[in-house]
Amino acid sequence: MKAVFVGAGPGCRAVLELYEEGRLSFFLPEILAVVDVDVDAPGLRFARERGWRTFTSIEDALSLPGVELV
């Protein structure tokens, strides 16, 4: 399943940390992007530091091929 996270506050960062540790791979094999209008949101910074795609517009993220979960 290919996912886009919308809203990258502290809760999103916590989920991304679990994903990075491999604790969610059974449920969420691939994160395509993280989206938030706040460029300094904790989850957005976390994702950007790891080289994951980040967006401030949901439309841009949904244009990625293969999005299955938002």
Side-chain angles (χ1 to χ4, degrees), residues 22-29:
R23 296 169 140 186
L24 298 177
S25 59
F26 66 94
F27 172 71
L28 196 59

Side-chain angles (χ1 to χ4, degrees), residues 7-42:
C12 175
R13 182 187 169 120
V15 171
L16 293 175
E17 288 173 352
L18 291 173
Y19 177 82
E20 186 175 57
E21 294 170 6
R23 296 169 140 186
L24 298 177
S25 59
F26 66 94
F27 172 71
L28 196 59
E30 186 176 356
I31 296 175
L32 292 178
V34 180
V35 182
D36 199 299
V37 295
D38 178 3
V39 295
D40 291 322

Side-chain angles (χ1 to χ4, degrees), residues 40-51:
D40 291 322
L44 211 61
R45 283 194 321 263
F46 186 85
R48 199 173 16 227
E49 290 167 0
R50 280 144 184 85

Side-chain angles (χ1 to χ4, degrees), residues 41-63:
L44 211 61
R45 283 194 321 263
F46 186 85
R48 199 173 16 227
E49 290 167 0
R50 280 144 184 85
W52 292 333
R53 292 181 191 131
T54 59
F55 297 98
T56 56
S57 164
I58 184 66
E59 291 83 8
D60 292 338
L62 293 179
S63 70

